[in-house]
Amino acid sequence: MKLAQKGSCDKLDRKSFPENNYDCPFRKADEILDEFKDENLSAIIVDFHAEATSEKNGLAQYLDGRVSAVLGTHTHVGTDDWQVLPAGTAYVTDIGMVGAKDSILGVDKKGILKTFLTQIPEVHEIPEEGICTVNAIYLEINPKTHEAVKIKKIKEEIKI
Ligand SMILES: [Fe+2]
């Protein structure tokens, strides 16, 4: 499937997040894949750094069978929807973070809470010790077909 035409998704993310102003990710993906179409790549992994879960899912469905994996990032919160899509693309809406467990998205919670309560921005302090949550994705890809064979969530906690 390759349907993204100029203008078709320029305002897609701006409906939910009007402060964003960047290229349409669907058209950009088409451009990049076209640019590398003659390369002998054993895998193509897309890190889709975005907020809206629907857009991440939409891009994965759009690229299913054309890339090995679409892995969402940015929210810091891992999702439990990892899967191999029908045409062979591995997908997860968000991998999740590697960061302090006793925090708000990996940042010291006192400063973030103060910002929420006062609307005055605080410096983000990153905890340097304590329990660290490690979120990751394990992928197996067939290098001959570029298709994903397996996707699995990894979630561990370690003490630093
Ligand atoms: Fe981000």
Side-chain angles (χ1 to χ4, degrees):
M1 180 166 65
K2 186 176 174 185
L3 300 174
Q5 301 296 316
K6 183 154 182 54
S8 61
C9 52
D10 284 338
K11 295 184 170 72
L12 192 63
D13 190 63
R14 294 179 203 156
K15 282 194 301 187
S16 304
F17 306 99
E19 72 281 8
N20 294 333
N21 185 12
Y22 44 73
D23 288 342
C24 165
F26 295 81
R27 268 205 318 276
K28 185 54 77 177
D30 285 339
E31 283 177 32
I32 294 169
L33 290 175
D34 200 47
E35 184 182 334
F36 288 91
K37 70 177 185 278
D38 296 327
E39 301 286 330
N40 186 23
L41 304 174
S42 54
I44 302 172
I45 298 174
V46 177
D47 173 349
F48 193 19
H49 193 79
E51 185 85 59
T53 55
S54 59
E55 272 192 48
K56 295 182 195 182
N57 191 329
L59 187 68
Q61 301 293 343
Y62 183 66
L63 296 178
D64 187 18
R66 296 197 284 153
V67 302
S68 309
V70 175
L71 308 175
T73 57
H74 171 68
T75 69
H76 297 211
V77 179
T79 58
D80 69 351
D81 58 344
W82 60 91
Q83 61 191 293
V84 177
L85 298 174
T89 295
Y91 169 66
V92 66
T93 299
D94 206 292
I95 296 173
M97 72 169 186
V98 175
K101 181 178 181 184
D102 187 26
S103 69
I104 297 174
L105 304 183
V107 178
D108 181 77
K109 58 190 178 187
K110 289 184 195 116
I112 299 291
L113 288 173
K114 190 171 175 188
T115 298
F116 284 145
L117 292 168
T118 65
Q119 300 300 305
I120 298 170
E122 285 284 317
V123 173
H124 287 184
E125 299 286 342
I126 308 296
E128 295 184 0
E129 58 186 33
I131 303 296
C132 180
T133 300
V134 178
N135 287 282
I137 289 292
Y138 171 83
L139 273 178
E140 285 182 20
I141 296 167
N142 181 334
K144 291 183 181 148
T145 65
H146 312 160
E147 289 182 4
V149 177
K150 184 177 185 180
I151 180 170
K152 184 179 161 194
K153 171 82 178 179
I154 297 168
K155 184 171 185 177
E156 301 284 339
E157 291 184 355
I158 57 173
K159 185 166 174 43
I160 298 179

